[in-house]
């Protein structure tokens, strides 16, 4: 039963939804900016926020925990060496979601999710 479970479903079962969020998180870490639907942007932002918080620890355990979330080793290296030191003094709020116009084909609300500069 789904009583009081408010996680976004994104019209997928658990495993495809988890794979989608891992793919989006990996792309967001690598490119630091991503254009997607508003629902997917709101779903991937907490995943990346938690990953950056884990990366701020900077030890081997953090690297292994990030490898369990992100698909690419380059993404793990980037989040630990480039992105996490950028937010050393900040405790949260590493991403920004900006709404765009609706998509032409199906009218889905589009958004840009990006990792902040500082």
């Amino acid at each position: 039963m789904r009583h009081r479970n408010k996680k976004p479903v994104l019209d997928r079962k658990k495993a495809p939804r988890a794979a989608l969020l891992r793919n989006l998180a990996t792309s967001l870490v690598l490119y630091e900016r991503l254009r997607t639907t508003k629902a997917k942007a709101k779903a991937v932002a907490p995943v990346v926020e938690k990953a950056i918080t884990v990366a701020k620890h900077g030890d081997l355990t953090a690297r292994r925990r990030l490898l369990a979330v992100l698909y690419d080793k380059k993404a793990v290296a980037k989040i630990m060496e480039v992105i996490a030191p950028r937010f050393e003094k900040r405790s949260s709020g590493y991403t920004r979601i900006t709404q765009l116009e609706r998509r032409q084909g199906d009218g889905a609300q589009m958004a840009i999710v990006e990792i902040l500069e500082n």
Side-chain angles (χ1 to χ4, degrees):
M1 287 187 238
R2 294 189 63 244
H3 297 300
R4 297 177 61 105
N5 188 358
K6 294 197 176 202
K7 290 183 182 177
V9 177
L10 300 176
D11 202 26
R12 289 165 175 83
K13 293 196 180 287
K14 186 177 188 319
R17 183 174 60 243
L20 171 76
L21 292 177
R22 288 177 68 189
N23 273 319
L24 287 172
T26 302
S27 296
L28 183 58
V29 167
L30 286 175
Y31 302 111
E32 296 192 22
R33 188 177 189 137
L34 190 65
R35 184 170 191 254
T36 184
T37 63
K38 182 180 171 186
K40 290 177 187 174
K42 287 174 76 172
V44 76
V47 175
V48 175
E49 297 262 346
K50 290 172 188 169
I52 293 173
T53 303
V54 168
K56 286 170 61 174
H57 291 98
D59 55 358
L60 181 62
T61 304
R63 186 173 297 273
R64 287 179 177 163
R65 287 179 62 189
L66 289 172
L67 282 169
V69 175
L70 303 175
Y71 280 128
D72 195 3
K73 289 183 181 179
K74 292 178 185 175
V76 174
K78 182 172 182 178
I79 198 170
M80 291 200 67
E81 297 163 8
V82 177
I83 297 173
R86 193 187 304 169
F87 300 109
E88 203 171 299
K89 296 179 182 171
R90 186 182 289 205
S91 62
S92 66
Y94 313 121
T95 59
R96 173 191 301 140
I97 297 175
T98 307
Q99 289 189 34
L100 300 174
E101 71 284 348
R102 293 189 174 270
R103 189 162 51 196
Q104 181 74 33
D106 60 355
Q109 181 69 48
M110 299 301 287
I112 291 178
V113 58
E114 59 189 341
I115 298 175
L116 298 175
E117 289 299 319
N118 191 1

